[in-house]
Amino acid sequence: MRIVLGVSGGVAAYKAVLLLRLLREEGHRVRVVPTASALRFVGAPTWEALSGEPATDQVFEDVEHVPHVALGQGADLVVVAPATADLLSRAATGRADDLLTSTLLTARCPVVMAPAMHTEMWEHPATVANVATLRARGVHVIEPASGRLTGADTGPGRLPEPEDIARVALGIATGADVADPPPGGGPASAQDLAGLRVVVSAGGTREPIDPVRFIGNRSSGRQGVALARAARARGAHVTLVAANLDAQVLEDGAPTAHAGTVPAPGMEVVPVETTAQLREAVRAAAATADVVVMAAAVADFRPASAPDAKIKKVPGQGPAPIVLVENPDVLAELAHERLRADQVVVGFAAETGDGHGSVLDHGREKARRKGADLLVVNAVGDGRGFGVDVNDVTVVDGAGDVVATASGTKRDVADAVWDAVVTRTGAGSR
Ligand code: CTP
């Protein structure tokens, strides 16, 4: 998601630094737009270093890109934290006297403001009226917390904790947790998957050897979860078949997660462990799905049998061999059977390249062999692909022709995959 983080001039600007980190760690692109007084509290180098993007209050910089219009137009979410009494006043009266207020006038995405000020300022009739005006226009103004303010005083006016602001703002942007949908407000991000039912498998399957041991793989589930979240943000109904996701993946940007089960609001999650369970869950959901994305690393083989009791080591005897049998290929089955007409089936191929061909050669061959409509090919090994938050992929079609390439965070890659799906289905034009 592209997020504009507006910061106005209050001591609580330091908390916006933490908010920026949270949003970045979740894989969002964040452009910080501070006001001139915010820059007196926290300087541009801090914002720029943590966001990787320029941070200025000026409309006369970088004018060839028309930033006072482009930033708001291109944002999927605008969060202003802290929003001072002055910023609320300028926003309520439609001023456009710096980059942040201009951005607020051009944004058509959800806008969330987290006010912070002294209690007297918050309770002043002018501020009360400004907040009412903004809310009537669809801006989501978060109630400030009560507690210790800048000096010795306490009362309502304290900036909520960054985690809470992130939770509310992202919940609104993904279309969930919205207490008061903005009247006439724009969608969270391009809703080009609205009305589609999608199934995403994520993580890696585990095949039991006995009750305590298994054969598994190094997939964390990051890419699959990013795909599921992106689809949700773009309006799809999402079923996530979650195979042994890393606990960290669930915590990252899972503001409303119920420990370990719900990686994003408004998503159906089916936890599975083995390939057999994954196959059953994916096929059940695929029966009514428009798109199936097999991002999970599925074990090709499983132990032929797994005793109910732990296998004991017998001193002096070598290890008993583990006999493996082949698992069904869930992706190939779906691609060949076509449980639903017009269903788009997307696979992933994690490749290393070898003496027989490059990463892309193997990907192309796999696309043809598996019969998927799209295959997302990525290079793994040497620290690439698994467990990290960046990815670099080539999307090929069923004939092995390249239809897209993408690199960046797993969320960027997820959006590129959905773009390829939209191109294929024409979903966005319905
Ligand atoms: N896949 C599947 N069922 C399997 C194995 C893989 O559905 N039993 C899916 C994966 O979810 C992925 C795609 O197939 O979308 C490619 O997985 P990969 O392991 O790269 O393919 P393999 O067929 O196992 O090929 P390889 O010989 O490279 O292991």
Side-chain angles (χ1 to χ4, degrees):
M1 212 186 299
R2 279 162 304 171
I3 300 175
V4 169
L5 174 58
V7 184
S8 54
V11 170
Y14 77 91
K15 285 192 185 172
V17 176
L18 303 175
L19 177 58
L20 168 60
R21 287 203 76 138
L22 285 173
L23 297 172
R24 290 283 296 147
E25 278 165 12
E26 244 228 271
H28 300 295
R29 276 166 52 192
V30 185
R31 168 81 186 240
V32 179
V33 182
T35 62
S37 23
L39 289 171
R40 299 184 67 166
F41 289 95
V42 179
T46 301
W47 303 121
E48 293 181 346
L50 290 174
S51 68
E53 305 225 17
T56 177
D57 63 311
Q58 296 291 318
V59 287
F60 292 108
E61 283 176 16
D62 197 22
V63 280
E64 70 277 19
H65 294 119
V66 203
H68 72 289
V69 176
L71 287 178
Q73 283 178 339
D76 301 311
L77 169 69
V78 177
V79 187
V80 184
T84 59
D86 179 62
L87 187 280
L88 293 174
S89 165
R90 289 191 293 136
T93 50
R95 297 287 298 270
D97 49 0
D98 63 6
L99 191 54
L100 178 53
T101 46
S102 306
T103 299
L104 288 168
L105 279 186
T106 51
R108 293 294 176 269
C109 58
V111 176
V112 177
M113 293 192 180
M117 63 198 74
H118 282 277
T119 305
E120 291 81 352
M121 297 172 92
W122 175 246
E123 291 177 345
H124 192 282
T127 306
V128 171
N130 289 332
V131 169
T133 301
L134 290 166
R135 282 182 173 153
R137 284 190 203 134
V139 173
H140 192 98
V141 182
I142 301 176
E143 282 296 308
S146 276
R148 173 106 190 261
L149 301 172
T150 307
D153 44 350
T154 60
R158 190 179 145 91
L159 188 73
E161 290 313 304
E163 290 79 1
D164 293 329
I165 300 172
R167 178 176 54 76
V168 171
L170 294 173
I172 287 169
T174 52
D177 293 356
V178 188
D180 309 308
S189 53
Q191 297 290 286
D192 49 2
L193 300 177
L196 291 189
R197 298 181 74 85
V198 312
V199 185
V200 178
S201 70
T205 57
R206 292 178 179 174
E207 304 299 338
I209 296 171
D210 68 11
V212 294
R213 306 179 180 97
F214 59 83
I215 298 174
N217 61 67
R218 287 155 56 86
S219 177
S220 64
R222 269 196 178 76
Q223 185 62 74
V225 168
L227 279 154
R229 286 189 177 133
R232 180 79 195 100
R234 290 166 73 154
H237 175 281
V238 181
T239 302
L240 176 68
V241 178
N244 312 297
L245 305 186
D246 252 23
Q248 190 58 41
V249 172
L250 292 168
E251 277 160 30
D252 290 349
T256 57
H258 303 297
T261 53
V262 185
M267 199 183 284
E268 220 172 287
V269 182
V270 187
V272 297
E273 189 175 339
T274 64
T275 300
Q277 292 165 356
L278 178 137
R279 176 174 178 268
E280 197 182 319
V282 167
R283 289 177 66 87
T288 55
D290 301 287
V291 187
V292 184
V293 181
M294 284 293 298
V298 182
D300 290 326
F301 301 98
R302 67 179 186 280
S305 63
D308 291 338
K310 186 181 170 195
I311 300 171
K312 302 298 286 180
K313 177 176 64 188
V314 182
Q317 275 186 24
I322 298 171
V323 178
L324 299 177
V325 292
E326 195 166 347
N327 274 328
D329 189 319
V330 184
L331 175 67
E333 280 180 353
L334 288 171
H336 291 118
E337 284 176 35
R338 300 286 158 176
L339 295 179
R340 248 189 117 205
D342 299 331
Q343 187 172 70
V344 178
V345 178
V346 184
F348 269 71
E351 303 289 347
T352 58
D354 56 21
H356 300 291
S358 66
V359 166
L360 192 53
D361 293 336
H362 285 295
R364 288 191 154 120
E365 183 278 322
K366 195 168 284 181
R368 290 188 280 262
R369 174 161 50 89
K370 299 231 178 193
D373 301 301
L374 296 170
L375 193 81
V376 185
V377 186
N378 72 317
V380 292
D382 294 335
R384 289 175 303 190
F386 286 125
V388 293
D389 196 45
V390 288
N391 216 348
D392 196 350
V393 304
T394 304
V395 184
V396 297
D397 63 16
D401 293 330
V402 174
V403 295
T405 56
S407 62
T409 63
K410 290 193 171 178
R411 180 56 179 260
D412 294 332
V413 167
D415 275 320
V417 171
W418 290 120
D419 288 346
V421 169
V422 167
T423 305
R424 191 165 182 102
T425 59
S429 58
R430 287 168 319 154

